[in-house]
Amino acid sequence: MNKVDQVPAAYRSNAEANREMDDIGRMIRACIQCGTCSGSCPNEFAMDLTPRRLWRLVLLGQEEEIFSSTTFCLCSACYYCTLRCPRGLPLTEAMYRLKQAAARRKVKAYRTSEAFYGSFLESVRRHGRVRESEFMTLYFSAMKNPLLPLRFASLGLKLMAKGKVDLRPPSRGDMRLAALFDKVARLESRQLTRNDR
Amino acid sequence: MRYLYYPGCSLEGSAREYGQATEALMKALGVQMTEVEDWTCCGASAAEARSRLLALALSGRNLALAEQMDHMDILVPCSACYLNLAKSNIEIGTDEHLRAKVNEILAEEGLSVRGKARPRHLLDILATDIGAEAVATGLARPLTGLVVAPYYGCQCLRPLAAFDDPENPQSMKALIEATGAKALAWPMGAKCCGAALMNTKPEVGLTLTGKILENARTADAIVTVCPMCQMNLEAYQKKISKRLASDISISVIYLPQLLGLAMGIDAKELGLDSNLAITPDFRRFLTATTAEAC
């Protein structure tokens, strides 16, 4: 998926990777481990670690455990935990930050979500507005799983019957937002370089 | 009443009936909408999962375009677009350092953003500015006898809580009752449908959406205000019925479709043919009330 993979830029040093985790830790430093987040999370039943335990690991800097868990992949951004956290911590945002960190670390458990979001953004980069059928085609090819499209076949047919499927084949388009994406990547890598000094 | 209008990508694709219905309803209510010129994607939930700066730049671009136009509230029907635009607007407006960074990106296109736009959700505008009374006044086809489950989903309510109680929302109730229908009191209105997990973790998505559909059994229809919620609730009913070994099929329509029907707008004009879940009972109900209205 070429250029879009540069956002976020890959790590250049361990120090940089550590600093990112420190930043996330700072966002939730006031956590009192009350468990309101776990009790409020609609997806907690499917998680190997409850959100409360995940935040504890973030505070302790236990990176390996954090990224071998699938908890952050299961955040659906419902914002219940953010709304209810008695310390007012931006927990959903911190989950997003873990997703960003997982994308940069190329964490295996995050591969599906990463391919999904990456394909979406690639279509946006090309055309300015996402073309849903192109986005799904890119996603299937990124996942390299010949059975995956079958799971979406029935939905695809339903949408097609309603004339809701964009029949334009994937294309490079006019690279409508390529300049914006490139500039973000440049700014991010510049900031990283500066911080490393 | 005049608003800027940010439809968002879904309303040009899989949720185009949401766009059609919003436009038709606003016209009937005498509300003028001017589309934000040259708008692009808000970043959805994808951008922030990649990079915060990318998320801010994508939303910031649209806010900058809106700021260039008349200073009006921006009407946003999609909950994800609404939250992205509203959150970015606050962050860009309050954090000088961040604003400078976003502007450095937007400068490539000769744009700049101040964080002074006013993005608002369609439901907010319907409930707060327009009001149930306007719908009642224009009532042409009372939906008497219909029981409707109001489903708000997450991102129009949380974390901003801009216009309704984010745990126990009520803003749809009066609007639904203005149509002559009954609003179902149920515990699922603000619960999560699973959003994109339906694609990346289908087992989890199906469980969440299944709980919502199971709780709507006593209703004739669910109304939604978000393309993602709508798709999850309408597209997987067969699969969920099989999992639960029980038929949970129900009509799922967008709020402006419901209000539009009550105001006598033709079902076609409201894009009702494009919905994926309209039960035969619901169709029969519509035919019967249409005949009465004539």
Side-chain angles (χ1 to χ4, degrees):
Chain A
M1 251 176 307
N2 55 47
K3 270 188 175 168
V4 78
D5 282 333
Q6 293 170 5
V7 180
Y11 294 116
R12 293 181 202 176
S13 65
N14 284 341
E16 206 181 89
N18 294 340
R19 201 173 38 244
E20 187 174 33
M21 292 310 288
D22 290 347
D23 283 350
I24 301 172
R26 253 192 301 280
M27 293 170 81
I28 57 147
R29 192 155 51 185
C31 171
I32 51 170
Q33 289 286 293
C34 67
T36 302
C37 49
S38 300
S40 304
C41 179
N43 306 320
E44 185 265 348
F45 72 95
M47 291 170 171
D48 48 12
L49 288 175
T50 63
R52 179 191 65 79
R53 291 177 73 105
L54 179 74
W55 298 132
R56 186 72 190 137
L57 292 174
V58 169
L59 288 171
L60 293 172
Q62 307 277 333
E63 248 183 70
E64 244 186 85
E65 286 87 340
I66 295 167
F67 291 111
S68 57
S69 150
T70 55
T71 292
F72 64 92
C73 312
L74 283 160
C75 170
S76 52
C78 75
Y79 288 90
Y80 262 116
C81 58
T82 300
L83 182 79
R84 291 178 179 171
C85 174
R87 302 294 274 170
L89 303 176
L91 299 177
T92 311
E93 212 182 307
M95 280 291 187
Y96 272 124
R97 295 287 288 272
L98 285 176
K99 290 177 185 176
Q100 295 165 19
R104 302 175 90 184
R105 283 169 168 75
K106 308 222 176 299
V107 169
K108 207 168 160 248
Y110 193 57
R111 197 174 139 253
T112 306
S113 309
E114 169 55 13
F116 192 72
Y117 295 137
S119 307
F120 182 97
L121 290 172
E122 176 58 16
S123 185
V124 170
R125 193 177 75 101
R126 293 177 182 185
H127 311 289
R129 301 176 188 175
V130 71
R131 292 186 181 174
E132 291 160 330
S133 51
E134 174 180 82
F135 150 41
M136 291 310 281
T137 309
L138 291 171
Y139 174 52
F140 295 148
S141 76
M143 288 303 288
K144 297 190 182 74
N145 173 0
L147 296 177
L148 183 65
L150 293 179
R151 218 177 70 207
F152 292 88
S154 115
L155 176 60
L157 287 173
K158 268 185 233 164
L159 292 175
M160 207 170 306
K162 296 286 185 186
K164 286 181 172 185
V165 174
D166 188 337
L167 295 171
R168 287 173 293 187
S171 68
R172 281 190 81 241
D174 55 3
M175 286 291 155
R176 185 75 190 73
L177 290 178
L180 182 146
F181 275 73
D182 290 349
K183 183 74 184 177
V184 170
R186 278 205 302 282
L187 266 184
E188 283 193 330
S189 73
R190 194 180 73 191
Q191 187 192 353
L192 297 175
T193 319
R194 197 188 297 141
N195 287 345
D196 261 355
R197 262 186 236 137
Chain B
M1 256 182 275
R2 292 169 62 215
Y3 297 93
L4 292 177
Y5 178 44
Y6 179 86
C9 306
S10 305
L11 272 67
E12 292 195 324
S14 56
R16 60 166 192 213
E17 68 274 26
Y18 194 18
Q20 275 170 267
T22 300
E23 284 162 36
L25 176 68
M26 288 303 160
K27 202 172 137 205
L29 288 164
V31 175
Q32 248 189 56
M33 299 197 295
T34 313
E35 197 163 317
V36 173
E37 257 167 69
D38 189 38
W39 61 267
T40 45
C41 173
C42 71
S45 51
E48 203 173 342
R50 273 285 177 105
S51 146
R52 179 161 177 252
L53 193 55
L54 180 64
L56 285 163
L58 285 172
S59 285
R61 183 181 182 279
N62 295 301
L63 296 169
L65 292 169
E67 284 177 12
Q68 278 181 355
M69 298 172 69
D70 288 347
H71 196 55
M72 289 186 285
D73 291 2
I74 315 170
L75 183 152
V76 191
C78 165
S79 296
C81 296
Y82 156 72
L83 180 59
N84 279 336
L85 295 178
K87 234 165 37 120
S88 302
N89 190 50
I90 294 169
E91 286 175 34
I92 291 168
T94 49
D95 185 335
E96 230 175 285
H97 179 69
L98 209 59
R99 179 161 67 240
K101 238 180 184 177
V102 172
N103 277 328
E104 196 180 334
I105 297 164
L106 298 183
E108 304 264 303
E109 260 193 281
L111 292 170
S112 98
V113 64
R114 293 179 299 151
K116 300 263 187 214
R118 293 196 305 260
R120 293 178 60 198
H121 195 276
L122 167 68
L123 175 57
D124 179 11
I125 287 170
L126 282 171
T128 316
D129 300 7
I130 294 167
E133 230 162 86
V135 177
T137 308
L139 196 64
R141 167 162 53 186
L143 304 176
T144 318
L146 201 68
V147 179
V148 174
Y151 181 70
Y152 300 79
C154 301
Q155 299 195 341
C156 71
L157 299 173
R158 296 181 296 272
L160 297 180
F163 61 93
D164 205 341
D165 183 329
E167 300 250 15
N168 184 21
Q170 299 293 327
S171 53
M172 273 199 243
K173 191 168 179 267
L175 290 166
I176 291 171
E177 283 169 356
T179 68
K182 189 175 167 272
L184 181 74
W186 67 325
M188 303 308 284
K191 296 288 192 296
C192 180
C193 71
L197 293 180
M198 193 63 95
N199 303 301
T200 57
K201 306 270 178 197
E203 290 301 306
V204 181
L206 289 170
T207 304
L208 265 60
T209 294
K211 274 190 220 161
I212 296 165
L213 291 170
E214 260 191 305
N215 273 276
R217 267 181 214 281
T218 51
D220 300 303
I222 300 176
V223 285
T224 68
V225 286
C226 167
M228 174 79 90
C229 301
Q230 171 80 21
M231 174 77 90
N232 281 350
L233 289 172
E234 71 182 347
Y236 303 94
Q237 294 190 2
K238 238 192 210 155
K239 221 178 242 178
I240 291 168
S241 292
K242 218 182 261 169
R243 277 165 64 102
L244 298 173
S246 152
D247 182 16
I248 45 77
S249 55
I250 185 170
S251 302
V252 186
I253 66 174
Y254 289 103
L255 179 67
Q257 290 183 314
L258 182 86
L259 303 182
L261 285 170
M263 292 186 71
I265 303 172
D266 187 61
K268 256 215 177 85
E269 210 187 318
L270 295 166
L272 220 63
D273 288 343
S274 300
N275 289 50
L276 299 182
I278 303 286
T279 62
D281 279 352
F282 192 80
R283 274 190 205 291
R284 270 193 291 277
F285 177 85
L286 283 186
T287 321
T289 47
T290 312
E292 263 171 48
C294 287

